[in-house]
Amino acid sequence: MKKKKTIVKAIKCEEAVARLNDFLGNYLKGKSREELLKHISECNACMKKFEFEQLLKSKVHQLAATGDNAMKEKIEKLIASL
Amino acid sequence: MKNEPGKEKLTRAVLENISALNHFAYSLCQNRSEAEELVSETVMKAFVKMNQLKDEGKIKQWLFRILNNIFLSNYRKNKNQKKISLNGEPDDQSFSLYEQISSSSFTDTAEPEKIFINKITRQKIQQAINELPEEFRVTLILCDVDEFSYAEISAITRTAIGTVRSRIARARDLLQKKLWLYAREMGIQAKQKEKAHICTCGEEELEMSKIITV
């Protein structure tokens, strides 16, 4: 039995950029995502743009608070008193 | 309070997420002591309403939703949305920080955008986010900082997924406009009439041929 070839549609830069936010938010799935990944792998300009957007997103993610011990202790006391 | 089986799990979930809850509360209140108060109220309410939690796999999302609800009913003082100051930047939604920086005249480097990413500080990014209007700020933090899915953000903020999507897009756009102001403070200057996005997939060649035939 022959394997069915999956053809990934080519999209233009404009369409790729329109999908950027859903891609960064992990909302882009299936064919839409495959088409985008194919485009990025073939278009150097879009690849650079997407790399920048991902780096910026990771900088924003680094704002995630870490180890607030004073607050943790306060809440532990609060829970114990409930 | 009795030592119910759920209490232990809830305690663990609260303590594991306390920093994230505190950061989220601060992003909403923009005031340290109010944020701590909001988190304490959230924790108390979570324990009181513990029996209403149907899916233990969604404890984190549930805690964030309680916090957001308490903020909306008790803490939000000014219901008029804060407007971002864009210092004269045109208010279009297609703003791209990458396009601006990569076509800038910043030093001799071939990749000014990488310099910008390395130089921009955590404080500046936080400051830019703090200046976003509330609904965009909240959505962006839930998505990019706390890594909730669109569906989870929709449940936390009680808004449609379509609204979450558009708010994230708008929030990123506004954030990039604000960061562009910081980029200019760093000495990055926009160059006129130069396009950074030199397309390698056919469109640019088409544009060039149009110019040549004219």
Side-chain angles (χ1 to χ4, degrees), chain A residues 12-13 21-22 27 43-46 48-49 52-53 57 59 61-65 68 74-75 82, chain B residues 1 18-19 22 36 96 98 117 120 122 144-145 150 161 165 169 172 176 197-201 203:
Chain A
K12 290 188 173 180
C13 296
N21 280 308
D22 284 345
Y27 188 68
C43 175
N44 193 42
C46 281
K48 281 188 169 181
K49 180 178 170 64
F52 175 81
E53 298 286 348
K57 189 192 165 192
K59 292 286 275 192
H61 177 65
Q62 284 166 19
L63 296 177
D68 188 341
K74 188 181 166 185
I75 295 298
L82 293 172
Chain B
M1 185 176 280
I18 201 67
S19 299
N22 204 27
E36 288 191 10
S96 165
Y98 171 77
I117 287 287
I120 187 80
R122 184 189 161 104
D144 286 357
V145 179
Y150 285 12
I161 286 197
R165 285 180 71 203
R172 290 211 177 103
Q176 294 202 1
H197 191 129
I198 299 165
C199 187
T200 51
C201 59
E203 288 179 328

Side-chain angles (χ1 to χ4, degrees), chain B:
Chain B
M1 185 176 280
K2 282 185 286 175
N3 195 20
E4 297 147 75
K7 191 185 175 189
E8 206 178 304
K9 275 191 180 170
L10 183 55
T11 302
R12 206 179 319 128
V14 165
L15 295 177
E16 274 171 12
N17 291 296
I18 201 67
S19 299
L21 286 167
N22 204 27
H23 182 254
F24 184 52
Y26 177 70
S27 302
L28 292 169
C29 303
Q30 306 204 319
N31 174 303
R32 295 268 170 224
S33 62
E34 272 190 7
E36 288 191 10
E37 215 176 289
L38 175 55
V39 172
S40 299
E41 266 192 63
T42 302
V43 173
M44 286 194 279
K45 192 159 190 178
F47 278 91
V48 170
K49 304 247 174 194
M50 193 164 56
N51 296 334
Q52 291 178 14
L53 174 64
K54 290 178 186 116
D55 183 353
E56 287 185 351
K58 292 183 177 173
I59 291 187
K60 184 181 174 187
Q61 177 188 324
W62 184 68
L63 289 168
F64 272 72
R65 196 172 72 204
I66 293 174
L67 191 149
N68 192 49
N69 288 346
I70 297 176
F71 170 76
L72 291 178
S73 50
N74 301 350
Y75 285 78
R76 190 202 232 166
K77 294 175 191 100
N78 184 5
K79 293 196 174 182
N80 296 323
Q81 300 299 303
K82 199 178 186 182
K83 301 289 178 206
I84 192 167
S85 159
L86 298 171
N87 296 355
E89 290 291 340
D91 193 29
D92 62 80
Q93 291 204 22
S94 58
F95 183 87
S96 165
L97 183 63
Y98 171 77
E99 301 288 340
Q100 294 287 341
I101 294 178
S102 58
S103 63
S104 71
S105 55
F106 183 55
T107 73
D108 294 332
T109 177
E111 295 178 312
E113 65 277 8
K114 290 196 176 159
I115 305 265
F116 170 79
I117 287 287
N118 290 332
K119 282 184 94 172
I120 187 80
T121 61
R122 184 189 161 104
Q123 285 75 19
K124 284 286 184 194
I125 294 177
Q126 183 69 66
Q127 195 180 323
I129 290 178
N130 288 348
E131 288 182 27
L132 297 179
E134 184 185 294
E135 72 268 34
F136 301 127
R137 186 171 75 241
V138 168
T139 316
L140 187 75
I141 286 169
L142 291 173
C143 182
D144 286 357
V145 179
D146 297 304
E147 296 189 310
F148 283 110
S149 68
Y150 285 12
E152 288 169 332
I153 298 169
S154 160
I156 292 168
T157 58
R158 292 176 191 266
T159 45
I161 286 197
T163 308
V164 171
R165 285 180 71 203
S166 59
R167 282 182 182 174
I168 287 171
R170 189 77 182 118
R172 290 211 177 103
D173 182 67
L174 291 172
L175 176 67
Q176 294 202 1
K177 282 176 178 162
K178 191 71 196 168
L179 291 176
W180 174 234
L181 300 180
Y182 297 146
R184 289 197 301 201
E185 283 170 19
M186 283 179 194
I188 298 175
Q189 295 297 324
K191 270 186 185 173
Q192 296 297 313
K193 295 174 188 172
E194 210 170 292
K195 198 179 174 187
H197 191 129
I198 299 165
C199 187
T200 51
C201 59
E203 288 179 328
E204 198 72 7
E205 287 83 341
L206 190 67
E207 278 179 25
M208 285 304 289
S209 66
K210 272 186 196 167
I211 294 164
I212 291 163
T213 46
V214 168

Side-chain angles (χ1 to χ4, degrees), chain A residues 9-42:
Chain A
K9 200 177 89 181
I11 57 168
K12 290 188 173 180
C13 296
E14 200 179 45
E15 182 55 40
V17 171
R19 295 181 196 184
L20 171 68
N21 280 308
D22 284 345
F23 176 73
L24 292 173
N26 292 320
Y27 188 68
L28 204 62
K29 311 275 180 213
K31 274 187 184 174
S32 295
R33 188 180 166 86
E34 281 176 38
E35 288 162 6
L36 176 67
L37 292 175
K38 180 179 185 284
H39 178 86
I40 296 172
S41 70
E42 292 167 353

